[in-house]
Amino acid sequence: MNLQALPQRADAEEMMQTAAQDARESGKGTACLVIGVDDPTALARQMSREEFEEFLHGFGERIRGVLRNSDRIALLDGERYAAILTPTQRPDLESMIQLARRLQLACDAPYSISGRSINITSHVGFCLMTRAPDPTGKAILNAAEMAADEAGRNGPGAIRAYSPEIKQGPTVQSKLASDITPALEEGRIVAYFQPQISTDTGAISGMQAVPRWLDRDRGILAEAEILPAVIAKGLQVRLSEVMLFQCFGALRAWDKLPITPGLISLPIGIEHVTDPKMYDRLKWEFDRFDVHPQQVCLVLHREVTARLDDEVIMRNVSQCAKMGCRIELAGFGTGPISVSAIRRTGAERIRIHRSFVTNVERDPEQQRLVSAIVSFAAGLGLETLAEGVATIGEHAMLGQLGCSHVQGKAISAPLPLDECAAWMLRHDARLSSIPRPDLRRGA
């Protein structure tokens, strides 16, 4: 496949117009899918121009391999592909979602570029002809692109169907920002908890707190939709306070259980750690709720670890560690951090970024990278936690490579507080009744 020889946007509109006209005349249906790479800019930085074109060539070939011979593809703006489907007997939403998943499965397998293994995730947006704002080829293609834009905002690996509401994207974001303050104050932003388990024993080793917005009209909104609204209104510190309050409440509720949920992991943002009074305020909250600092793991993301030379930040972090809070450094491997800085934070665990976890069970290079991170952490006396573990195969391989803990949808999606206790009890019961082999190599 020669990229220059591929049909481009104008060709895609014409092909979609022909497909739509054929569908109307035959009483059938058609659709357009737009498939894109998550964060293509970051991916392009890892390669030369020639290598990136080689990757796009392979990406297109995989799309071509999933489609029928009569379906057509076109390259849009150099980074996305459009798939124009030959008319069939009334394609529906479910069949399109299944096709989108097959495309993602093919496209997300590792690529070999210049002897290196490249791992990606992709997003898909699609529009059924019957749902398009206008039955023209251009309108159907544009609608599929809007759905792909929406998927890209909610990625990685998101799939979205076109709906009229997507056209209101900027308006919806503005409305979210205007609604975020009352949502925080009225208790509609709540903490959900995602279980973490030990790869040694299979036991629950912690719970990660993540925000969810319970909205009567929009449903349950995830972090990717909440944070832009929070940032737009400058409410990052207020969100952290709400999450901390709910985490402490959860810990007190779980004290009554016959099993322990382990640490509760709470992300701490740059706005918190740059506050000279952060440590004093946090200590006061621990005393007020009668919660032991040893029960809480403060997760420092890349924006914080990149500024550990700041005296205020380092003072806050090190004092929290001395108080008894566990410190975890997130996004490890995605940017530089010195050994001396790690030691000064008092960190006890590093988090392996999900980009190193994807396809780790079948990609030798991913395995070597994870093994190197685990060895580095072990040399410093640190545990490791892998995030974004999506499959049982990834879980098993991470255990074999020596990763201490895992978190992701392969274990459980984030749960509301009122479902956590039942999940923990079921997990503990399964663990007690079923012999579980040690997942580590050599066990």
Side-chain angles (χ1 to χ4, degrees), residues 1 9 11 18 26 32 73 114 128 144 157 167 176 198 211-212 238-239 291 301 307 313 315 334 351 366 432:
M1 182 188 296
R9 175 177 296 277
D11 304 300
T18 300
S26 62
C32 179
I73 68 170
S114 300
L128 290 158
K167 293 174 65 176
L176 287 176
S198 165
R212 291 291 184 266
R238 180 60 183 141
L239 175 62
V291 169
H301 283 281
R307 293 179 55 183
I313 293 176
R315 175 182 174 273
T334 61
R351 180 172 294 216
Q366 291 285 80
S432 301

Side-chain angles (χ1 to χ4, degrees), residues 223 227 231 236-237 240 267-274 299-310 313 317 329-332 334-337:
E223 193 169 8
L227 290 185
I231 292 169
Q236 297 95 314
V237 172
S240 295
I268 295 294
I270 195 71
E271 296 78 17
H272 242 66
V273 294
T274 52
V299 183
L300 310 182
H301 283 281
R302 189 71 202 108
E303 61 177 1
V304 176
T305 59
R307 293 179 55 183
L308 289 175
D309 56 345
D310 184 292
I313 293 176
V317 172
L329 306 180
F332 196 82
T334 61
I337 181 171

Side-chain angles (χ1 to χ4, degrees), residues 232-250:
K233 290 295 183 179
L235 294 171
Q236 297 95 314
V237 172
R238 180 60 183 141
L239 175 62
S240 295
E241 291 171 348
V242 168
M243 293 294 289
L244 184 70
F245 180 86
Q246 295 194 30
C247 285
F248 284 175

Side-chain angles (χ1 to χ4, degrees), residues 185-232:
E185 300 310 320
E186 294 167 11
R188 287 182 279 128
I189 306 291
V190 302
Y192 273 40
F193 301 92
Q194 186 164 35
Q196 303 164 344
I197 63 174
S198 165
T199 57
D200 268 336
T201 65
I204 303 165
S205 57
M207 303 290 276
Q208 164 86 45
V210 296
R212 291 291 184 266
W213 184 345
L214 309 183
D215 187 85
R216 183 181 57 209
D217 300 320
R218 306 181 187 101
I220 301 175
L221 304 184
E223 193 169 8
E225 296 166 288
I226 296 170
L227 290 185
V230 167
I231 292 169

Side-chain angles (χ1 to χ4, degrees), residues 44-371:
R45 288 198 201 103
Q46 303 175 32
M47 309 179 194
S48 67
R49 181 174 179 178
E50 292 74 18
E51 288 173 332
F52 190 61
E53 287 190 358
E54 180 184 348
F55 161 75
L56 285 176
H57 171 93
F59 190 67
E61 287 285 2
R62 293 185 181 186
I63 295 170
R64 174 78 272 167
V66 173
L67 302 174
R68 299 163 298 177
N69 291 336
S70 56
D71 297 329
R72 307 289 300 277
I73 68 170
L75 186 62
L76 304 178
D77 304 325
E79 294 174 352
R80 280 177 171 170
Y81 282 91
I84 295 96
L85 304 187
T86 301
T88 58
Q89 294 297 333
R90 296 294 175 187
D92 57 16
L93 194 63
E94 183 58 34
S95 66
M96 293 301 296
I97 292 172
Q98 291 176 4
L99 175 57
R101 286 174 177 159
R102 291 201 303 273
L103 285 165
Q104 284 183 323
L105 186 63
C107 290
D108 292 2
Y111 296 76
S112 179
I113 306 293
S114 300
R116 292 180 296 138
S117 182
I118 303 296
N119 286 272
I120 67 144
T121 56
S122 58
H123 57 269
V124 182
F126 64 85
C127 179
L128 290 158
M129 184 181 78
T130 52
R131 296 194 173 198
D134 192 76
T136 65
K138 183 175 182 178
I140 298 169
L141 175 63
N142 288 344
E145 282 192 287
M146 282 189 272
D149 290 341
E150 180 71 10
R153 286 191 289 268
N154 289 276
I159 298 172
R160 291 292 185 273
Y162 173 80
S163 66
E165 290 75 20
I166 286 179
K167 293 174 65 176
Q168 304 167 11
T171 303
V172 169
Q173 288 299 320
S174 176
K175 186 69 165 60
L176 287 176
S178 66
D179 289 349
I180 191 69
T181 301
L184 280 167
E185 300 310 320
E186 294 167 11
R188 287 182 279 128
I189 306 291
V190 302
Y192 273 40
F193 301 92
Q194 186 164 35
Q196 303 164 344
I197 63 174
S198 165
T199 57
D200 268 336
T201 65
I204 303 165
S205 57
M207 303 290 276
Q208 164 86 45
V210 296
R212 291 291 184 266
W213 184 345
L214 309 183
D215 187 85
R216 183 181 57 209
D217 300 320
R218 306 181 187 101
I220 301 175
L221 304 184
E223 193 169 8
E225 296 166 288
I226 296 170
L227 290 185
V230 167
I231 292 169
K233 290 295 183 179
L235 294 171
Q236 297 95 314
V237 172
R238 180 60 183 141
L239 175 62
S240 295
E241 291 171 348
V242 168
M243 293 294 289
L244 184 70
F245 180 86
Q246 295 194 30
C247 285
F248 284 175
L251 283 170
R252 296 181 69 173
W254 295 336
D255 277 343
K256 303 171 185 176
L257 295 176
I259 58 174
T260 173
L263 298 174
I264 191 163
S265 294
L266 180 66
I268 295 294
I270 195 71
E271 296 78 17
H272 242 66
V273 294
T274 52
D275 178 359
K277 296 183 179 180
M278 171 197 160
Y279 165 74
D280 298 321
R281 289 173 176 167
L282 195 58
K283 186 176 185 304
W284 184 80
E285 294 287 357
F286 278 118
D287 293 340
R288 182 164 75 101
F289 280 89
D290 193 25
V291 169
H292 298 293
Q294 293 84 355
Q295 295 176 276
V296 175
C297 178
L298 302 180
V299 183
L300 310 182
H301 283 281
R302 189 71 202 108
E303 61 177 1
V304 176
T305 59
R307 293 179 55 183
L308 289 175
D309 56 345
D310 184 292
E311 290 184 11
V312 173
I313 293 176
M314 185 55 78
R315 175 182 174 273
N316 278 329
V317 172
S318 59
Q319 283 191 326
C320 286
K322 289 175 183 176
M323 179 171 59
C325 294
R326 311 295 179 87
I327 304 296
E328 177 181 298
L329 306 180
F332 196 82
T334 61
I337 181 171
S338 68
V339 172
S340 62
I342 293 174
R343 291 193 182 283
R344 288 173 63 202
T345 63
E348 297 185 26
R349 188 164 75 183
I350 59 177
R351 180 172 294 216
I352 301 173
H353 193 263
R354 65 184 174 216
S355 62
F356 296 105
V357 171
T358 303
N359 295 321
V360 70
E361 80 277 25
R362 52 182 175 172
D363 186 340
E365 184 167 333
Q366 291 285 80
Q367 293 163 21
R368 287 191 292 271
L369 289 169
V370 169
S371 181

